[in-house]
Amino acid sequence: MSKRISINPNLIELDYAVRGKIPQRAAEMEREGRSTIPCNIGNPQALGQKPITFYRQVLSLLEYPTFISRERTIKNQIQSETVPIETFSDTILDYADEFLGELKTGTGAYTESKGPLFIREAISNFIDKRDGADVTNGQLSNPDNIFLTNGASDAVRRILEILITDKNDGIMIPIPQYPLYSATIKRSGGTQINYYPDEDMDWLLNEEILEESFTEAEKFGINTKAIVVINPGNPTGSILDEDSINLVLDFAEKHNLAVIADEVYQDNLYGGSFTSFAAATGVRDILLFSLHSTSKGFHGECGHRGGYVEIRSNPEVTDDGLKLLDIFLKQASVSLCSNTIGQCLTYMMVNPLQNETEDSYKYETEKAAILNDLNTKAYMIKSAFKEMLGVECFGRTGAMYLFPRLNNIPAGKDDFDYCMELLEATGLCTVNGAGFGQKNGTHHLRIAFLPPKESLETVLPKWIQFNNQYISKS
Ligand SMILES: Cc1ncc(COP(=O)(O)O)c(C=O)c1O
């Protein structure tokens, strides 16, 4: 008999549907030789999205700097010999050179725990430019309040580890939510408090929605510490309007809550507009954690684990004057630093090629092509929903997901059964609504609109047929 050990029960209990039973069955089908279309996760390059050339050219040089001077030598030689060899442009070579000059110790050394100052300064400039902030409106971003992280997931783990002190500490999360939040709250030993954006009103918020969940938690002795907002949303793909954002800030101020603004999809708007929580907060003294990542947007560099958290406000945390940022720094120091390639990508995300060069045009063209493609694919899927009986989809489309409501699931079945049977019938791997949480009695699924258009053209008619037959059993 094998020995038994006791482990952290929080880890036994946590759930993460995005990699749960439906994708596991899809993997099994692949092993059986059947092809599937993985729409269960926002992992663009796994579905064929090409990386941005500028990012990859610079990264390759950063990892092997000798190639910068080698490329320069080859360029000089071929100019005189007219040999047709493709080389990196001076723009790319200079960018890599300057980056390494600032980094000083190369990509193989630990950096400052927060991340190098020049990267944090670039992030601050990016935030101020994005938000139209300047010295006159007194809401400038401060590089000292920025921490580079291994993706946004790492930032969430750090924040919740700091905020949650015991099981009665509550974190409000939107339902449906990205399960990173429920899982990390569980892992940190706190309590998840659900609030329910109004689906029929495009997933927007009102005061009652927030107050109701706060009061309910209070009745159970829960001390609410923070509210999470994901904008644009995952899994709903919705984009919040300014009223909803201001409402969250008023609510947080009234109840002295921290706001965790997950803004990793800020570039995935498809015509909609994005207001950052930092801009909306302005000079108000609200503890705000804003997250960004290189995984999403048009960047799609999920595997490289780049990202940052910007913290506004710095409350005291102990009687002897220690402040939140001191603890954040101490916590970051324990991991030494975030990975340097993720740091480089974060720098390129916030500081892309500016001058009007061939490379900057190429960057803009690739960026537009990726976002246009995503927009077209979202539209293709939304159009298919119109032909599916009992399927409704709400919200201004953002992020990389659609979260349709399945109104006519046959009695005795639920959205898990629907998704499993959809997978078997069509190869389309989605995640059922229950994996993200949903109002009792409703059914949904989440689909990432990432697969190539050709796959969608083939699978969408099959899905329409599947859906209409499936619900005829109800
Ligand atoms: C809303 C949201 N936040 C955070 C993450 C995690 O991103 P990262 O790859 O930066 O850890 C994801 C990933 O899908 C996400 O959808």
Side-chain angles (χ1 to χ4, degrees), residues 151-153 178 180 230 234 262 264-265 293 295-296 305-306 401:
S153 313
Y178 174 56
L180 163 68
I230 308 173
N234 179 5
D262 183 328
V264 301
Y265 295 102
S293 163
S295 299
K296 310 296 170 177
R305 316 305 297 129
Y401 313 99

Side-chain angles (χ1 to χ4, degrees), residues 16 41-43 150-156 178 180-181 230-234 262-265 291-296 301-303 305-307 401 446:
Y16 194 70
I41 195 161
N43 194 6
N150 293 314
S153 313
D154 178 31
V156 171
Y178 174 56
L180 163 68
Y181 288 96
I230 308 173
N231 184 44
N234 179 5
D262 183 328
E263 297 175 334
V264 301
Y265 295 102
L291 317 183
H292 199 6
S293 163
T294 57
S295 299
K296 310 296 170 177
E301 293 284 2
C302 300
R305 316 305 297 129
Y401 313 99
R446 187 193 75 169

Side-chain angles (χ1 to χ4, degrees), residues 418 421-422 425-426 462-470:
Y418 181 100
E421 290 180 45
L422 176 67
T426 67
K462 293 187 196 163
W463 185 3
I464 296 169
Q465 192 186 12
F466 164 84
N467 178 80
N468 295 350
Q469 274 173 4
Y470 192 84

